[in-house]
Amino acid sequence: MGGKKSDGKVLAQNKKASHDYFIEDTYEAGMVLTGTEIKSIRNGKANIGDAFATIRNGEIHIHNMHISPFEQGNRSNPSDPTRTRKLLMHKEQIHKLLGQSKQEGFSIVPLKIYIRNGYAKLLLGLGRGKKQYDKRETAAKRDAQRDIQRALREKQKIAR
């Protein structure tokens, strides 16, 4: 049930997550938002770079997700753009995620926000932290792959 991918347009993405974590599994969660918050998200005014998720009392919450106040907002515009927001997931998924995240070195990382069937969704990843040498190794592999692709393109240009 875990590995769902987004269908809709990606509105916010956490690019730092793949640099800092090995993503083991992904989960899709709905978000409890106010009317003006969803308008801001649709305008692309959300940031999940510093966000993290916690599980308390059988509920999952996201912290430090910044949603800018809507310009034409009214009194339902929240005063705190980084307030803690509740996420909506099935109870079995929350329990599974709780068990996996309790292991040493694992954490729940928000990966991206997108719209699916008119609802804002958050893709959560179960991440295992990378060490410094893992980050260097990943960068070296990416550079090597880029060099291989560049060489293949050059070879194809010469063949024409």
Side-chain angles (χ1 to χ4, degrees):
M1 189 88 194
K4 292 184 180 179
K5 302 291 180 247
S6 67
D7 288 341
K9 180 182 168 205
V10 175
L11 301 172
Q13 196 163 3
N14 187 356
K15 294 179 181 172
K16 209 165 60 167
S18 63
H19 183 261
D20 293 338
Y21 297 96
F22 292 113
I23 304 301
E24 304 291 331
D25 202 3
T26 58
Y27 297 89
E28 184 179 71
M31 294 185 281
V32 177
L33 301 169
T34 65
T36 54
E37 284 179 332
I38 186 64
K39 290 179 180 183
S40 288
I41 287 177
R42 286 179 191 274
N43 287 340
K45 305 284 188 192
N47 183 359
I48 56 173
D50 297 329
F52 62 95
T54 58
I55 300 174
R56 272 179 292 167
N57 301 329
E59 294 180 342
I60 187 163
H61 297 271
I62 187 160
H63 306 270
N64 288 350
M65 180 173 73
H66 188 279
I67 299 176
S68 299
F70 189 60
E71 291 85 26
Q72 294 88 30
N74 53 13
R75 65 177 164 233
S76 72
N77 229 1
S79 58
D80 182 19
T82 59
R83 71 182 179 89
T84 300
R85 294 169 179 89
K86 184 177 175 183
L87 298 178
L88 305 171
M89 291 177 72
H90 292 285
K91 197 170 283 190
E92 301 85 40
Q93 285 181 320
I94 293 174
H95 289 306
K96 183 178 176 186
L97 198 55
L98 178 64
Q100 290 174 331
S101 67
K102 288 284 188 199
Q103 296 173 15
E104 186 68 30
F106 281 92
S107 58
I108 306 167
V109 184
L111 300 175
K112 57 184 161 182
I113 298 175
Y114 53 93
I115 302 289
R116 176 183 275 176
N117 298 333
Y119 294 103
K121 302 289 184 180
L122 179 70
L123 189 68
L124 293 173
L126 182 68
R128 184 170 38 93
K130 285 186 182 179
K131 303 280 189 259
Q132 189 63 36
Y133 59 85
D134 289 332
K135 293 178 187 179
R136 284 194 293 267
E137 185 179 304
T138 303
K141 283 181 184 175
R142 186 179 58 236
D143 291 343
Q145 194 65 31
R146 199 176 294 144
D147 290 341
I148 291 170
Q149 291 298 324
R150 190 177 300 127
L152 288 174
R153 274 198 308 271
E154 290 298 321
K155 206 168 204 170
Q156 286 177 344
K157 284 182 183 177
I158 294 170
R160 288 183 187 175

